[in-house]
Amino acid sequence: MNFKLESKDPGSKARTGTITTDHGDIKTPIFMPVGTAGSVKAVHQRELKEDIKAQIILGNTYHLYLRPGLDILEEAGGLHKFNGWDRPILTDSGGYQVYSLADTRKIKEEGVTFQSHIDGSRHMFSPEAVMDIQRTIGADIIMAFDECTPYPCEYDYAEKSMHMTHRWLKRCCEHFDKTEGKYGYSQTLFPIVQGSVYKDLRTQSAEAIASFERDGNAIGGLSVGEPAEMMYEMTDHVCNILPLDKPRYLMGVGTPANILECIALGIDMFDCVMPTRNARNGMLFTSEGIINIKNKKWDRDFSPIDPVLPGYVDNFYSKAYLRHLIMSKEILGAQIASIHNLSFYLWLVGEARTQIEAGTFSQWKNKMVSKVSQRL
Ligand SMILES: O=c1[nH]cnc2cc3nc(NCc4cccs4)[nH]c3cc12
């Protein structure tokens, strides 16, 4: 995997670049649609490619390991073959999902034992195990096994958790570096910076993570309920320490405004369930602001959903029709709203890239942040 830095914004730490993988290139800044269990919910691969123009999507190790399971994924030739997505895939390592989903989980030095939220079966995730699991899923970019420190938490819990994440990272690297990809293309491992909301711990973690000199670096432990100002402060601080010539991936972020602010702080890669999860509930992110399509004010608005966007759904369907579908819990409503929100997120990071190349990102960003946050 290779990262080429291209343009820099004169008024901020924003930059553009190109990540090259065996499944194609990724133009940054980029948003990665979340495909938890092997599909981006309610969206076809063709729509992801043609309408949304997604370049890389996410899978979750925890979900895919439990269902469909490794033997089916391996027999299929890996996740790319199984779900037909032939562009880059990134998988989260499962730690975060174990904490947020599994029952009776126990965190020990060796790893985390847990019961499946699906059938109660018992499992153990260790750094070595999740490296083998992600080798089998076959994502181009895989994440180290970490503990996403909960928010809020005491300083000494955050410190102990951070050091364990660093010890687990060492085990991940040693195990990953002595194994090969199973399907004939290369995979790379990103470490994850922790340290909660404590600047000195964030310094220690960013320096430790940078010292592993991997192909990219992720920032974890954020977008876990902390105030946005704290997310920005920690992101800014860590981006001042991580090497400039490697991509920075801010995990689980975020709203359109969060993404714009963090691009300005030097982040290149984002993922979040909000555009897809909130779409199914009728919350639409648009270039003019946020629309709750369930609001009665849209029931006779026959204008297109968001004509600024190039895709089919934004120009073919009206707000009134989409409101009707969401109110009626029609499956098509979830599909249209999900494609719209993802199209908007990809449009937004694409616009940011253009603005950075033009050297006008900073003033554009300040105007857009208030626009995309307003409630319509
Ligand atoms: O430290 C982390 N390590 C590994 N995976 C993560 C995933 C993460 N996802 C979020 N936020 C997700 C959401 C944001 C808004 C609704 S859900 N924060 C996250 C932190 C981590």
Side-chain angles (χ1 to χ4, degrees):
M1 191 201 100
N2 179 49
F3 179 57
K4 189 162 70 67
L5 260 179
E6 287 151 359
S7 314
K8 284 191 182 133
D9 175 50
S12 74
K13 293 190 285 182
R15 77 264 192 85
T16 67
T18 300
I19 299 172
T20 304
T21 77
D22 285 351
H23 280 100
D25 289 356
I26 302 157
K27 298 278 178 204
T28 63
I30 189 67
F31 179 78
M32 306 182 282
V34 175
T36 301
S39 95
V40 176
K41 293 185 181 353
V43 182
H44 285 286
Q45 306 300 14
R46 189 190 55 188
E47 292 157 351
L48 272 171
K49 252 186 192 169
E50 292 174 14
D51 292 359
I52 295 159
K53 306 209 181 320
Q55 296 176 46
I56 172 171
I57 63 173
L58 245 72
N60 276 319
T61 296
Y62 171 82
H63 292 82
L64 292 163
Y65 162 81
L66 291 176
R67 193 169 48 185
L70 300 180
D71 45 4
I72 288 174
L73 283 168
E74 184 149 16
E75 202 170 319
L79 181 57
H80 290 86
K81 289 279 189 311
F82 191 53
N83 71 359
W85 180 256
D86 61 2
R87 292 182 177 177
I89 295 176
L90 181 151
T91 42
D92 194 350
S93 58
Y96 182 82
Q97 282 74 33
V98 166
Y99 305 139
S100 49
L101 277 170
D103 309 319
T104 66
R105 66 202 176 287
K106 274 190 186 45
I107 308 175
K108 295 197 188 68
E109 185 65 35
E110 174 56 23
V112 182
T113 54
F114 64 93
Q115 282 187 270
S116 158
H117 72 291
I118 297 169
D119 62 10
S121 54
R122 295 183 182 288
H123 303 270
M124 142 78 120
F125 274 179
S126 67
E128 296 78 11
V130 299
M131 291 298 105
D132 293 336
I133 293 168
Q134 293 183 86
R135 279 282 195 207
T136 302
I137 295 170
D140 303 271
I141 302 173
I142 75 169
M143 302 310 292
F145 189 64
D146 64 335
E147 180 187 1
C148 173
T149 316
Y151 175 83
C153 79
E154 295 297 316
Y155 181 90
D156 65 328
Y157 183 93
E159 185 177 32
K160 285 190 179 65
S161 168
M162 177 195 74
H163 285 302
M164 186 168 68
T165 287
H166 295 172
R167 290 193 298 276
W168 282 357
L169 171 58
K170 192 168 178 301
R171 287 167 55 188
C172 285
C173 293
E174 281 166 5
H175 192 75
F176 177 80
D177 291 344
K178 70 185 180 197
T179 54
E180 293 288 311
K182 294 183 164 179
Y183 310 115
Y185 53 84
S186 68
Q187 298 171 279
T188 194
L189 165 66
F190 280 16
I192 304 172
V193 176
Q194 292 294 341
S196 186
V197 292
Y198 302 104
K199 263 194 176 172
D200 61 324
L201 297 183
R202 283 282 175 183
T203 301
Q204 274 184 62
S205 195
E207 287 171 352
I209 265 58
S211 72
F212 282 81
E213 298 187 342
R214 307 302 299 196
D215 290 334
N217 297 299
I219 301 174
L222 292 176
S223 193
V224 287
E226 78 287 356
E229 280 320 308
M230 211 166 262
M231 175 202 289
Y232 302 151
E233 194 185 337
M234 292 304 116
T235 299
D236 187 26
H237 183 67
V238 170
C239 283
N240 291 336
I241 299 168
L242 291 178
L244 283 165
D245 63 344
K246 302 282 177 60
R248 289 86 172 265
Y249 165 29
L250 182 54
M251 304 185 84
V253 175
T255 65
N258 295 155
I259 288 174
L260 293 175
E261 293 293 4
C262 293
I263 287 173
L265 297 175
I267 299 293
D268 307 296
M269 301 162 73
F270 300 88
D271 87 276
C272 190
V273 292
M274 280 180 75
T276 35
R277 183 183 292 176
N278 294 30
R280 298 193 292 276
N281 192 29
M283 179 181 186
L284 307 180
F285 295 100
T286 81
S287 46
E288 293 305 315
I290 295 168
I291 290 178
N292 172 3
I293 202 67
K294 290 180 176 172
N295 190 309
K296 197 152 176 31
K297 70 194 283 192
W298 307 108
D299 70 350
R300 295 169 192 278
D301 183 331
F302 302 106
S303 67
I305 296 167
D306 190 348
V308 162
L309 299 182
Y312 159 70
V313 303
D314 279 292
N315 292 279
F316 186 80
Y317 296 112
S318 72
K319 296 183 181 72
Y321 178 60
L322 180 54
R323 178 176 186 279
H324 161 65
L325 295 177
I326 295 289
M327 297 307 281
S328 324
K329 297 199 184 317
E330 284 289 313
I331 293 168
L332 184 62
Q335 292 174 306
I336 293 171
S338 301
I339 295 165
H340 160 76
N341 275 355
L342 288 174
S343 300
F344 174 68
Y345 266 63
L346 269 295
W347 173 85
L348 189 70
V349 295
E351 275 299 291
R353 182 180 164 88
T354 304
Q355 294 291 332
I356 295 165
E357 287 167 344
T360 52
F361 172 78
S362 291
Q363 54 266 47
W364 172 82
K365 183 266 289 185
N366 291 330
K367 180 170 56 65
M368 281 306 275
V369 162
S370 45
K371 232 175 121 183
V372 296
S373 310
Q374 63 184 348
R375 299 263 165 188
L376 297 177

